[in-house]
Amino acid sequence: MTARAAVVCGLGQWLPARAVTNDELAGELDTSDAWIRSRTGIGARHVLEDGLGTSDLAVEAGARALKSASGLAVDAVVLATTTPDHPCPATAPRVAARLGLGPVPAFDVAAVCTGFLYGLATAAGLIAARSADAVLVIGADAFSRILDPEDRSTRAIFGDGAGAVVVRAGTPDEPGALGPVQLGADGSADDLIQVRSGGSRDPFRAATARQADPYFRMAGRTVFRRAVEAMAESSQRALDRAGWSVGDVDVLVAHQANLRIVHALADWMGLDRERCAVHLDRVGNTSAASVPLALADAVAGGGLRPGHRVLMTAFGGGLTWGACTLTWPVVEPH
């Protein structure tokens, strides 16, 4: 049988209406616009309004990706998120139902900021195995729900949002075809990025409530180094498998964790910083939504055009990381 590839044919994005500026954060915490920008490159982030959840973000982005794909019927939904609506059940089935997709298989992928790439790999596998002809892949997170309100380091970095793509079955040589997705993980360092309490190992109990820590924690300095090294290595492997050199890359769409990380990665790889897609200055680190949101922003801004060679890479909790290549197709984001 002819080899099948997953081909990007739709792109959607959604951000909550409320944008929180650095100056607004400075009114609540011991920080300033200058301090945040100098360390992260972030100027604002969007925050989901009370009463809504990750599924609301995912539905909006998913609907727009489906519209971008001209209403192509999808056979599965893969939702990458670390902030599901509930610990049980998964959020993806609810998203599929609200999108009116019928009884298609729908499930969550939890790989934190690398989740979207893990989701793409999963979708590509479904298509290669002929279990699906088209898949909706969504990255959505509402990190504002799990941040310590008094932790200026994490509150300055993270924002809420969702991005999505539709991938369909196609041939490996056509525009939009995903190259092999290079993935990795190191569970021996899972404590570097973690929400300690609320799971089966450290469940919430009335008797131990004072010792519980329900908030997201991150060892920033160590994560910085690990992120650059892991993304550089996986990116080089993805380039090698695609038969590309670093000079062939027109646009680097790296996880929008921190501007210094994005630039350090580009420098490490010998890639011009001008080729880096940058969206974090307006939205912060949106975790699993980061890569698709950056793609949509780059297309809308004219920095990513059909025929451009794109390298996508991300790093997140787990620890997890990954990279993938593709030649950008004719796709209008919604």
Side-chain angles (χ1 to χ4, degrees):
M1 292 187 290
T2 303
R4 295 186 1 146
V7 179
V8 174
C9 63
L11 176 62
Q13 61 89 30
W14 183 253
L15 293 166
R18 184 189 172 206
V20 178
T21 65
N22 291 346
D23 288 334
E24 185 174 344
L25 276 185
E28 303 175 27
L29 301 167
D30 179 20
T31 189
S32 67
D33 175 67
W35 186 90
I36 296 171
R37 287 182 186 274
S38 66
R39 287 161 176 78
T40 68
I42 296 169
R45 70 287 299 146
H46 290 253
V47 176
L48 193 63
E49 64 184 91
D50 292 343
L52 299 180
T54 294
S55 64
D56 297 290
L57 295 168
V59 167
E60 294 286 358
R64 284 161 174 73
L66 291 169
K67 183 178 180 181
S68 172
S70 301
L72 178 69
V74 297
D75 307 303
V77 176
V78 180
L79 172 62
T81 187
T82 304
T83 59
D85 283 3
H86 308 285
C88 176
T91 302
R94 179 178 179 84
V95 171
R98 290 180 58 187
L99 289 171
L101 300 179
V104 300
F107 53 93
D108 292 0
V109 171
V112 197
C113 300
T114 320
F116 181 72
L117 289 179
Y118 270 68
L120 284 181
T122 302
L126 290 170
I127 288 172
R130 301 178 185 269
S131 296
D133 292 321
V135 182
L136 173 61
V137 182
I138 307 171
D141 270 309
F143 257 58
S144 64
R145 300 296 198 251
I146 59 173
L147 299 180
D148 183 343
E150 298 182 357
D151 183 355
R152 70 173 182 173
S153 62
T154 56
R155 284 195 63 195
I157 293 172
F158 289 93
D160 304 336
V165 297
V166 176
V167 292
R168 60 164 176 81
T171 60
D173 58 349
E174 66 178 294
L178 298 176
V181 186
Q182 300 296 306
L183 301 176
D186 179 9
S188 68
D190 65 351
D191 60 332
L192 295 179
I193 300 174
Q194 189 177 73
V195 177
R196 182 173 61 81
S197 301
S200 61
R201 182 170 295 280
D202 187 12
F204 289 125
R205 294 285 189 269
T208 58
R210 291 185 178 181
Q211 289 76 45
D213 185 359
Y215 297 123
F216 176 88
R217 307 294 182 187
M218 179 172 62
R221 291 184 179 181
T222 303
V223 167
F224 187 112
R225 177 181 56 80
R226 294 289 299 266
V228 174
E229 291 175 355
M231 286 193 290
E233 181 181 0
S234 59
S235 292
Q236 189 58 59
R237 289 185 178 181
L239 292 175
D240 290 344
R241 294 194 65 178
W244 296 3
S245 68
V246 171
D248 292 325
V249 176
D250 295 302
V251 183
L252 171 64
V253 183
H255 167 52
Q256 306 286 290
N258 180 309
L259 186 59
R260 292 193 297 168
I261 289 179
V262 174
H263 284 167
L265 172 62
D267 294 346
W268 187 308
M269 296 183 64
L271 186 69
D272 190 335
R273 290 184 179 184
E274 295 300 316
R275 298 188 186 186
C276 299
V278 177
H279 191 215
L280 61 86
D281 54 325
R282 287 151 285 154
V283 303
N285 181 341
T286 53
S287 191
S290 172
V291 168
L293 281 174
L295 285 171
D297 181 73
V299 174
L304 177 55
R305 299 185 296 277
H308 274 169
R309 291 188 171 187
V310 182
L311 171 63
M312 299 181 290
T313 186
F315 178 90
L319 299 170
T320 59
W321 57 86
C324 181
T325 60
L326 80 158
T327 300
W328 193 250
V330 177
V331 172
E332 291 297 325
H334 286 271

